[in-house]
């Protein structure tokens, strides 16, 4: 039997759904800011979020089985943009 890359799936117990407010709090913690200081349309890069911190956030949110790609997050580095990606993946997963 030959396994193809598409046949490999992560076996992970789904975590509780990620909420927009959890994302805001996680970003704020990473930036050492107050969550209320981060508006939906603010550039997270302008607020000081670098690629390594962003990658850590994406990895943390993907724990539990969400299929998140860092490259998609780089396209719109705002809370609104990131929430749209996570919300769509959770809805597609049924969560």
């Amino acid at each position: 039997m030959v396994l193809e890359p598409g046949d490999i799936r992560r076996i992970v117990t789904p975590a509780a759904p990620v909420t927009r407010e959890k994302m805001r709090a996680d970003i704020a913690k990473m930036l050492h800011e107050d969550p209320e200081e981060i508006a939906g349309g603010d550039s997270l890069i302008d607020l000081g979020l670098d690629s390594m911190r962003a990658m850590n956030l994406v990895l943390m949110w993907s724990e539990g089985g969400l299929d998140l790609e860092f490259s998609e997050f780089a396209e719109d580095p705002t809370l609104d943009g990131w929430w749209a990606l996570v919300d769509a993946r959770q809805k597609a997963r049924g969560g």
Side-chain angles (χ1 to χ4, degrees), residues 30 50-63 70:
M30 193 70 73
D50 59 40
S51 60
M52 290 304 293
R53 290 178 181 173
M55 191 173 299
N56 284 328
L57 288 166
V58 172
L59 288 172
M60 180 174 61
W61 297 328
S62 68
E63 290 176 359
F70 175 74

Side-chain angles (χ1 to χ4, degrees), residues 2-77:
V2 176
L3 284 177
E4 298 295 325
D7 297 331
I8 299 170
R9 302 278 185 252
R10 285 195 290 175
I11 300 173
V12 179
T13 304
V18 177
T19 65
R20 181 183 170 90
E21 289 312 306
K22 177 176 178 7
M23 289 181 70
R24 183 190 311 268
D26 291 342
I27 293 165
K29 184 177 180 182
M30 193 70 73
L31 295 173
H32 306 287
E33 294 287 339
D34 189 348
E36 288 76 32
E37 297 296 316
I38 300 173
D42 289 347
S43 167
L44 300 176
I45 294 168
D46 289 347
L47 293 176
L49 191 70
D50 59 40
S51 60
M52 290 304 293
R53 290 178 181 173
M55 191 173 299
N56 284 328
L57 288 166
V58 172
L59 288 172
M60 180 174 61
W61 297 328
S62 68
E63 290 176 359
L66 274 183
D67 185 22
L68 303 176
E69 294 292 329
F70 175 74
S71 61
E72 294 177 318
F73 283 74
E75 293 175 17
D76 185 5

